[in-house]
């Protein structure tokens, strides 16, 4: 076996996974404008409405992973992701928290849930992710969740910047970001353990990097569609 084909150590493999952070959508021009407080109300609303489609599909994605997972111990941990978003008992869940974010930026609940503002490009990207989770081996689908490694930074950025940069957004609407900081860290610990345990040859490890890049591309593509619609003011079929 050549040096180039030798498997990375667990530490080196994890470092390769974490190095993918440079492709995280926090670097997308749409998010850069958002962080700088340069988006107008329509552009914020467009992002919230389209991201909502992703939010409601997260538990669907995780339910597909759960259905494909033969290991009981893994299922007992993974199911928490579904409960986090759909809610359980007195916890109304992340989807409800995002609905409140929608209301906080001025989108009525019924309008948000109608999905009338979801762009075709966003829907296509999110559906591709769900289909991947449905059809891929469960370890590969679990690996795709590792974009959560980079999520706490973006949540903290919004919590720190939005109150000053977007004072018109009701503070209660930021609850989703606050809760996801701790939940994402917990999810990463589990997803990373699965990935480091399963992808042990160099070929498998490079496959894992490709899977993580695929998920990063999903998130980036969603923002590309929003940029065209809300920044360039060229929504779907604008030239008809």
């Amino acid at each position: 076996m050549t040096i180039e084909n030798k498997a990375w150590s667990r530490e080196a493999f994890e470092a390769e996974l974490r190095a993918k952070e440079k492709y995280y959508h926090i670097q997308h021009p749409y998010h850069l404008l958002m962080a700088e407080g340069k988006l107008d109300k329509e552009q914020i609303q467009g992002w919230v409405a389209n991201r909502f489609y992703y939010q409601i599909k997260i538990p669907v994605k995780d339910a597909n992973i759960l259905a494909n997972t033969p290991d009981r111990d893994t299922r007992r941990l993974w199911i928490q992701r579904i409960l986090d978003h759909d809610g359980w008992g007195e916890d109304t869940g992340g989807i409800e928290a995002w609905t409140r974010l929608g209301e906080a930026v001025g989108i009525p609940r019924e309008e948000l849930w109608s999905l009338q503002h979801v762009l075709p490009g966003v829907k296509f990207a999110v559906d591709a992710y769900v289909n991947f989770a449905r059809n891929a081996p469960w370890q590969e689908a679990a690996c795709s969740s590792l974009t959560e490694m980079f999520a706490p930074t973006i949540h903290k950025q919004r919590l720190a910047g939005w109150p000053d940069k977007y004072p018109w957004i009701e503070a209660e609407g930021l609850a989703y970001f606050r809760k996801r900081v701790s939940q994402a860290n917990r999810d990463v610990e589990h997803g990373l353990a699965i990935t480091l345990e399963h992808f042990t040859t160099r070929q498998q490890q490079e496959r894992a990097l490709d899977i993580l890049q695929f998920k990063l591309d999903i998130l980036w593509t969603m923002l590309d569609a929003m940029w065209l619609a809300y920044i360039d003011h060229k929504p779907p079929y604008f030239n008809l």
Side-chain angles (χ1 to χ4, degrees):
M1 180 179 294
T2 65
I3 294 177
E4 290 78 10
N5 294 326
K6 184 179 180 181
W8 289 305
S9 67
R10 287 174 68 97
E11 294 76 17
F13 180 32
E14 180 176 343
E16 291 287 336
L17 290 166
R18 292 188 180 277
K20 288 287 187 179
E21 185 173 12
K22 64 184 178 182
Y23 300 110
Y24 192 52
H25 62 174
I26 196 173
Q27 306 296 342
H28 194 283
Y30 204 104
H31 265 310
L32 295 178
L33 290 178
M34 184 186 296
E36 294 168 1
K38 294 181 178 179
L39 295 185
D40 61 27
K41 186 173 184 178
E42 180 186 6
Q43 291 160 347
I44 290 287
Q45 289 178 332
W47 177 77
V48 170
N50 278 274
R51 181 77 182 192
F52 180 68
Y53 187 70
Y54 178 83
Q55 299 305 130
I56 63 174
K57 291 298 183 178
I58 289 176
V60 177
K61 175 266 297 184
D62 286 320
N64 278 287
I65 296 175
L66 201 67
N68 290 333
T69 304
D71 180 64
R72 176 174 178 261
D73 290 337
T74 299
R75 293 198 304 267
R76 284 165 61 89
L77 291 174
W78 204 271
I79 198 171
Q80 185 61 51
R81 298 171 185 246
I82 298 175
L83 300 178
D84 286 343
H85 285 83
D86 280 341
W88 176 257
E90 296 182 358
D91 183 354
T92 55
I95 292 175
E96 176 61 25
W98 198 274
T99 301
R100 293 174 183 171
L101 173 62
E103 292 174 328
V105 303
I107 307 174
R109 176 179 295 261
E110 295 77 13
E111 184 177 333
L112 184 70
W113 275 89
S114 74
L115 305 180
Q116 67 190 69
H117 300 296
V118 178
L119 299 166
V122 170
K123 187 177 186 299
F124 187 87
V126 174
D127 289 351
Y129 181 41
V130 174
N131 286 332
F132 173 78
R134 179 180 298 118
N135 296 310
W138 70 270
Q139 297 95 334
E140 292 194 356
C143 174
S144 71
S145 73
L146 287 181
T147 50
E148 290 286 359
M149 290 190 294
F150 320 127
T153 298
I154 206 169
H155 296 322
K156 291 175 182 177
Q157 183 188 78
R158 293 166 188 152
L159 289 169
W162 279 28
D164 291 331
K165 293 180 170 62
Y166 303 104
W168 54 271
I169 299 177
E170 298 176 11
E172 183 184 351
L174 304 183
Y176 175 87
F177 306 131
R178 196 170 296 111
K179 179 172 286 189
R180 282 306 298 168
V181 171
S182 60
Q183 290 176 345
N185 286 325
R186 180 207 63 210
D187 291 347
V188 165
E189 183 178 348
H190 185 214
L192 189 57
I194 292 171
T195 300
L196 296 177
E197 184 68 27
H198 177 73
F199 298 87
T200 55
T201 70
R202 181 61 172 269
Q203 184 178 16
Q204 289 173 331
Q205 291 169 339
E206 291 181 347
R207 169 64 177 163
L209 293 176
D210 288 342
I211 292 167
L212 183 53
Q213 186 63 57
F214 163 74
K215 174 62 183 306
L216 290 163
D217 291 346
I218 292 291
L219 298 173
W220 196 276
T221 299
M222 291 169 60
L223 288 173
D224 283 347
M226 290 183 236
W227 181 279
L228 189 64
Y230 306 120
I231 306 296
D232 287 348
H233 302 291
K234 295 177 180 178
Y237 316 115
F238 70 93
N239 59 337
L240 295 182

